[in-house]
Every structure is written in C-alpha cells, then in structure tokens.
Amino acid sequence: VIGEVWSLVDKYYLDRTFNGQDWNKVKEKYTSLNSKSKNDEQTMKLVTEMVKSLDDKYSRVLDAKQYSAIQKYDLIGVGVTLMPNGDKQLIVGAPPVAGSASDKSGLKKGDFIEAVNGIPTKGRNAFDIIDQISENPNAETVTMTARTEGPDDLPGEGYKRDVTMNRAFQEVRNPVLSKISETRSDGTKVGYVRILEFNSLIKGKLEEALARLENEGANAFVLDVRSNPGGAFQSAVEISSLFFEDRIATYVVDSNEVELPFKTTKGRVLVNPQYPIAIWVDAGSASASEVFAGSMHDNCRAVVMGEQKSFGKGLIQAVYGLKNGAGLVLTVANYVTPNGTIIQGQGITPDIKGKVAIDFPGLSTDTSKVDFRDISKRLGPDMCTLPQPR
C-alpha cells in the first residue's frame, strides 16, 4: 500500500515540490518504517502519515467504509473509476469499490473499456460516458465492453467480453428544492431553486424542477447555492448545459500546467435564454458551486448576488481506490473560470452585493428584493461579453 499510494502521489499530485520534500526520500523513509509493521492497521497509519506530510488539508487516506460512503458522487452507479491512459484509451483507473457491481463482474484496474452500451469509447473521455449514461438516468443496467491485456498479448489483444452490471446508488438525498417564490404585478413569476449539493442525482432532479417551474409559468429564476459545499465538479458542467450550450464552462489546470477546457453539451438547454437568472452565493458556497457560478456568470447567463464572496475552494481532488479496499483523495488540479478567474483562495465575487432578502431566521427564500430588470441589463451585450477560448 505504501508503494501504491506513493506512486499515485508521484504521478498525479498538483504540487510538484511535494510540500518542499524529496519525494523519493519520503518513499525510502516510509518503506523502511513499514518493514517493521506487524499488521495492516500500522501500515495504514504510516500511509496516512505519509500523505499528511504534503500538508494539504484536502488530500487524505480513506478507510474502506469512508471510501464506500464517498460513492454518492458515483455518477455511473457501478463503483468503477474510468480514466484515460497515456495513449488516451479509456481504462479502469482504480480497483473497483469492494462489493460493487464492477467488482463482482470481475473488472480489474488496467482493463480497457472499449465500448459502453455498444457505443465505442475511442476518442471519448469519462465525462462523455457520464453524459451518455445520463441520457437514460433511470436505466437499471450498464454494459461495458472490457478487454484484459495479458503480459504476452500484443497491443489490442487480450480477453474481451461484454460485462452487464446493475446500477445501484447509495441512499442519496434529493439535492434540489424548488417553488414559485412570488408573482409580481409586472408579470414576473420567480422560480426559486435551492441546490444543496452536487451529488449523483443533481442533473435529473434539477431538470425535473426547471421543467415544473416553467410549466407553472416561471420567467425569472434565482438559483440558490448558499452553504452548498460542492461535490462532483463534472455535475456543475452538466447542469450548466441546461442553461447554455456548446461553450466552455470551466478550465481544469493539472500539475503539468496543461489547461483542459470542459464545454457544455449541445441540445440540453431547458430554460429560455431570455429569462434573467441570479445565482445566490455566500461564504459557504464552495468547489462545484463556485464552478457553476463562474460558468454561468462568465457566459453571461446569470448574475451573482450575495452578501459575501464564495468560499474559494478551487482545487480538484481525484478519488483513487486502493487494492486493500481503502481509498486515496488527492489534489490533482485546479479550476479556472471561462474568463480566467482563479477560484482557489479568491472565490467568486458577487455582482450584486449586500442584503438581497428580508431577514428571516436561517437561509431566507425571499426573492422580493431581486431586481430582474437590472439583471437583464447586466446580462445583455452592452454590459456582458462572452469569453473567447483561451
């Protein structure tokens, strides 16, 4: 486990100074200490200590129970992590979650995934696969064409088979609350949507809420992400597709300073582009909430409002399964908004600052102070310019 975790950090960790440490010497130190360990518990304590030496509060070791619990952000539902290899082929990037459908099916780390539900994966990434599966979110199964390449096989050879797995999700709360908050004398009907977190249900539940509110006549929206700690960042990109299409939602910058653009999908827009939108943030809006707010703001689709700027968590953590059933959460990249705003340590600054609601105990859902005429002006071409690809 020491070597497994060390290699993951060595390959993917964002800070290439490793907190000013000689990472090879760190390996030597903990390998030596581990040689004296008498059981797995002592080994895991050493692994935890090694990761803590990075002095990164977001990178940590998970025990098997914690690793299983984090699967509420599993958007595929079979306990498998897909990622590209060095040749950009889609592979199983980590050992499947113990006891999950992918584990029971015999998928192993390093297996090539050549098709999903009969559609080839060549030229596509894990987010494309999630998009494909999201087209039928209630599907009970997913079929992957897997290929295991043995040590004597040539590239492209190996044991190939179709694996059909039952999708299962942990008990995950509905992350969306919605209502018509008010109807004004000028004909404005406000759809209020509270997004609690970006979990595996967010896209489908938000689609349902937006469709229902539009059917009820909503023609202006407040999207409330106050105290939303985030979740799966790809969900923030996915739900941006419900408001604008085929534009960059965020950039991800990895440890090699490679900037990867993530675009919204075509043909998914649910809300009339003319309807004004405000995104409500506070100091508790973090991570995927900030990606979503930055995406909507920079693409002239929403104005950000709130008394405080957002939290400022712009680091991306990847979750890796370990061979012993435990997991590793590791900082691997950071977010940059379409206009180039660095979220980490900065946050998203509201366009409309100060109190925007009547005081009530807790988080108020009052929208009566929101000036949608002003918001429409702010989102118009005279005051907002769409970002150019970087």
Side-chain angles (χ1 to χ4, degrees):
V1 179
I2 295 282
E4 185 181 10
V5 170
W6 183 91
S7 295
L8 287 168
V9 175
D10 184 57
K11 186 173 182 179
Y12 297 114
Y13 189 55
L14 182 62
D15 175 12
R16 303 314 295 167
T17 74
F18 305 100
N19 191 32
Q21 302 178 97
D22 182 327
W23 196 236
N24 287 306
K25 288 185 177 179
V26 170
K27 182 181 183 180
E28 292 174 7
K29 172 185 175 181
Y30 284 96
T31 300
S32 175
L33 290 171
N34 190 47
S35 66
K36 304 170 187 174
S37 293
K38 297 179 180 179
N39 52 51
D40 289 344
E41 184 178 349
Q42 289 182 349
T43 297
M44 290 306 292
K45 285 182 178 179
L46 287 173
V47 171
T48 299
E49 184 181 307
M50 182 174 72
V51 173
K52 282 185 176 179
S53 75
L54 298 170
D55 195 26
D56 175 1
K57 64 181 178 181
Y58 299 117
S59 293
R60 61 198 185 279
V61 176
L62 306 174
D63 61 30
K65 185 177 180 181
Q66 292 169 325
Y67 179 53
S68 178
I70 210 168
Q71 295 307 308
K72 70 177 180 176
Y73 301 115
D74 175 9
L75 304 183
I76 298 176
V78 296
V80 69
T81 300
L82 302 181
M83 62 177 62
N85 65 6
D87 297 321
K88 297 186 178 180
Q89 296 169 296
L90 206 61
I91 64 168
V92 177
V97 177
S100 67
S102 56
D103 180 38
K104 292 175 181 177
S105 74
L107 287 180
K108 302 293 184 186
K109 179 181 177 182
D111 281 351
F112 294 86
I113 303 301
E114 299 191 339
V116 173
N117 291 338
I119 300 176
T121 59
K122 186 176 181 180
R124 300 197 295 157
N125 58 37
F127 299 103
D128 297 324
I129 303 305
I130 291 167
D131 269 346
Q132 175 194 336
I133 292 172
S134 296
E135 291 175 3
N136 187 8
N138 297 318
E140 295 182 355
T141 63
V142 61
T143 299
M144 297 186 182
T145 302
R147 178 172 57 83
T148 301
E149 200 170 277
D152 299 325
D153 292 322
L154 295 172
E157 295 182 343
Y159 171 47
K160 188 174 178 179
R161 72 277 188 199
D162 284 341
V163 179
T164 298
M165 296 165 282
N166 292 320
R167 301 178 73 203
F169 296 99
Q170 289 192 359
E171 191 65 37
V172 179
R173 66 173 175 172
N174 181 351
V176 176
L177 305 173
S178 62
K179 66 178 181 179
I180 296 292
S181 59
E182 58 175 316
T183 300
R184 300 181 180 179
S185 59
D186 65 358
T188 301
K189 203 166 189 177
V190 183
Y192 169 85
V193 181
R194 175 96 188 276
I195 301 174
L196 301 170
E197 66 176 352
F198 289 82
N199 63 30
S200 57
L201 300 182
I202 177 63
K203 182 171 178 287
K205 293 301 182 182
L206 183 57
E207 286 175 335
E208 291 174 10
L210 293 174
R212 183 172 61 252
L213 291 171
E214 285 231 49
N215 286 338
E216 293 174 7
N219 54 19
F221 289 85
V222 171
L223 307 178
D224 188 351
V225 293
R226 289 174 299 165
S227 298
N228 181 326
F233 101 87
Q234 58 266 43
S235 295
V237 177
E238 279 194 316
I239 67 171
S240 293
S241 299
L242 306 180
F243 301 94
F244 63 90
E245 65 179 5
D246 197 30
R247 295 208 297 270
I248 291 169
T250 193
Y251 291 95
V252 169
V253 183
D254 68 13
S255 59
N256 296 313
E257 297 297 318
V258 175
E259 203 170 70
L260 304 171
F262 285 83
K263 296 180 74 173
T264 52
T265 308
K266 293 181 181 179
R268 299 281 178 82
V269 174
L270 288 183
V271 177
N272 188 317
Q274 302 305 313
Y275 291 169
I277 300 173
I279 293 187
W280 206 343
V281 303
D282 66 5
S285 305
S287 190
S289 296
E290 297 174 286
V291 172
F292 179 54
S295 167
M296 294 284 282
H297 173 271
D298 287 6
N299 280 283
C300 302
R301 196 59 199 92
V303 164
V304 179
M305 68 180 192
E307 294 183 48
Q308 309 150 301
K309 67 179 182 180
S310 64
F311 183 83
K313 182 185 180 294
L315 297 175
I316 299 171
Q317 284 71 46
V319 182
Y320 301 97
L322 305 176
K323 291 176 182 176
N324 66 353
L328 172 68
V329 179
L330 190 67
T331 299
V332 296
N334 58 56
Y335 309 113
V336 178
T337 74
N339 277 339
T341 300
I342 295 172
I343 294 173
Q344 178 61 24
Q346 305 296 320
I348 303 293
T349 300
D351 303 293
I352 301 172
K353 301 177 184 178
K355 288 188 179 295
V356 289
I358 298 172
D359 284 327
F360 290 110
L363 289 179
S364 171
T365 63
D366 171 57
T367 60
S368 62
K369 289 189 175 182
V370 182
D371 186 344
F372 287 103
R373 289 185 179 177
D374 175 58
I375 289 173
S376 291
K377 289 179 182 178
R378 289 173 181 262
L379 295 175
D382 291 340
M383 294 184 68
C384 191
T385 303
L386 290 174
Q388 297 300 312
R390 290 156 61 87

